[in-house]
Amino acid sequence: MENTIPEFINYLMKVKNASASTIMSYQRDLKKLSVFLEEKGVERIQDVTATNLNSYILYLEREGFSASTVSRNIASMRAFFRFEYGQGRMQEDPAADLKAPHVEKKSPEILSAEEAALLLDQPDCHTPKGLRDKAMLELLYATGMRVTELISVKEDDLNLDFGYVVCRDEEKERVIPFGNAAKEAVGKYKTDARKFLLKGQESEYLFTNCSGSPMSRQGFWKLIKQYAVKAHITADITPHTLRHSFAAHLVQNGADLKSVQEMLGHSDISTTQVYMNLGFSKIKSVYAKAHPRG
């Protein structure tokens, strides 16, 4: 089976235009499946059965993998075997009837407005790195971009005069406005820090690391963790936390869901609805604490 995976990965890249993270996940999941099947004596793609795949799912569950991880592996198998069946290499699709486990949706972790302000105040703005970090954090919180979108922003995508950034995801682009705090932080970074970090190199990307190369997801993840510790914030912060906080704070302060949906780039407004529910939870909590008969 392993020798058929590269063709599928190439299909994801060239035909489906899948993101790098999706491709990496599929490749990792399918290689693990391939090893499992080979250990069971199943080496040819046409010999794989639904029983084999269900055995693998049971193996993942016994090993203690979360329901979301098992579900992602099932999605990888479905996509792969659908492709193989379509290529005529199999008599039937063994993954067609695989059932994903129920995944309980957790409410996203959000910061309070005070915690968000505290986090954004941590970078040392007397250093080029601190100016860059401040600009990245402010722009992320001001726009609700995904981290991959933030690190992919190019200089030409930014309009500081009118306060907006053109943000591109896998399917489309959207224009997101931002306020004075982000405008000031990004402007100061561009003026006082970016050339220093580039070290004489050229880059179309707005944010770079200290070697002048484009900023990575891992690099940004590390710095946001460091600033959370420095700010003594106990919540488990990830780069996505600022995206969730951006949306929740907008909704809590009266923004309409349709506008928030457009800024976040959600294709379905039901995905954005969770932030309305978070706002209602906050109202209920305030009521319970404040009302004399709460």
Side-chain angles (χ1 to χ4, degrees):
M1 173 181 150
E2 189 172 0
N3 60 354
T4 63
I5 296 175
E7 185 181 346
F8 172 66
I9 297 301
N10 187 61
Y11 163 77
L12 292 177
M13 293 170 59
K14 301 290 178 60
V15 179
K16 302 297 287 184
N17 293 318
S19 68
S21 58
T22 297
I23 290 169
M24 194 179 302
S25 295
Y26 275 39
Q27 194 165 27
R28 182 175 59 245
D29 293 345
L30 293 171
K31 283 188 175 180
K32 284 168 58 178
L33 171 64
S34 178
V35 170
F36 175 85
L37 292 174
E38 284 184 14
E39 289 176 352
K40 300 296 181 184
V42 181
E43 297 184 1
R44 299 193 312 159
I45 189 73
Q46 53 265 45
D47 293 335
V48 179
T49 65
T51 301
N52 297 143
L53 300 183
N54 278 306
S55 295
Y56 182 60
I57 294 169
L58 288 173
Y59 161 76
L60 292 175
E61 291 173 342
R62 283 197 303 268
E63 289 295 305
F65 288 98
S66 67
S68 59
T69 299
V70 175
S71 292
R72 194 200 64 225
N73 274 267
I74 290 173
S76 299
M77 288 189 280
R78 281 176 175 164
F80 174 69
F81 287 106
R82 188 186 307 120
F83 171 77
E84 293 299 316
Y85 176 69
Q87 295 295 305
R89 284 191 276 267
M90 311 188 78
Q91 294 296 315
E92 59 183 31
D93 180 356
D97 296 323
L98 291 181
K99 297 291 188 293
H102 174 71
V103 180
E104 184 178 342
K105 288 189 176 180
K106 296 181 180 178
S107 295
E109 185 80 57
I110 65 167
L111 301 176
S112 67
E114 294 75 17
E115 286 175 325
L118 185 60
L119 179 69
L120 269 55
D121 283 343
Q122 294 310 307
D124 179 3
C125 292
H126 296 95
T127 68
K129 179 182 179 298
L131 287 172
R132 180 206 64 194
D133 296 351
K134 172 74 169 174
M136 293 187 79
L137 290 172
E138 288 282 3
L139 191 59
L140 189 63
Y141 180 55
T143 61
M145 285 190 287
R146 301 174 182 89
V147 177
T148 49
E149 295 168 342
L150 177 71
I151 63 177
S152 300
V153 169
K154 298 176 181 176
E155 271 206 289
D156 292 342
D157 295 331
L158 191 76
N159 189 313
L160 280 180
D161 292 332
F162 290 96
Y164 70 82
V165 61
V166 178
C167 180
R168 296 176 175 84
D169 62 22
E170 295 169 20
E171 299 176 357
K172 55 186 180 299
E173 67 178 38
R174 61 194 192 277
V175 177
I176 312 175
F178 54 82
N180 290 330
K183 185 185 295 188
E184 182 181 342
V186 175
K188 196 162 180 57
Y189 158 70
K190 287 190 67 178
T191 302
D192 300 342
R194 189 169 181 271
K195 286 184 179 178
F196 181 87
L197 294 175
L198 282 172
K199 294 180 168 47
Q201 302 176 67
E202 296 288 334
S203 177
E204 61 181 340
Y205 292 101
L206 179 61
F207 297 112
T208 70
N209 61 24
C210 294
S211 301
S213 301
M215 194 74 180
S216 67
R217 280 178 57 89
Q218 293 82 359
F220 186 74
W221 186 87
K222 286 178 182 177
L223 73 85
I224 203 171
K225 287 285 188 183
Q226 290 167 359
Y227 288 132
V229 171
K230 191 177 175 184
H232 303 291
I233 295 173
T234 56
D236 183 21
I237 294 181
T238 70
H240 224 60
T241 305
L242 279 178
R243 175 173 164 85
H244 291 317
S245 301
F246 157 86
H249 295 166
L250 281 179
V251 172
Q252 287 169 10
N253 285 292
D256 66 279
L257 279 183
K258 184 65 178 174
S259 297
V260 177
Q261 176 195 3
E262 290 178 3
M263 286 185 277
L264 290 173
H266 289 162
S267 57
D268 189 337
I269 200 167
S270 65
T271 308
T272 319
Q273 186 74 40
V274 67
Y275 300 110
M276 180 67 80
N277 297 337
L278 285 172
F280 183 65
S281 297
K282 181 184 177 184
I283 291 169
K284 286 203 325 185
S285 175
V286 169
Y287 179 92
K289 290 178 182 177
H291 196 280
R293 298 180 70 84

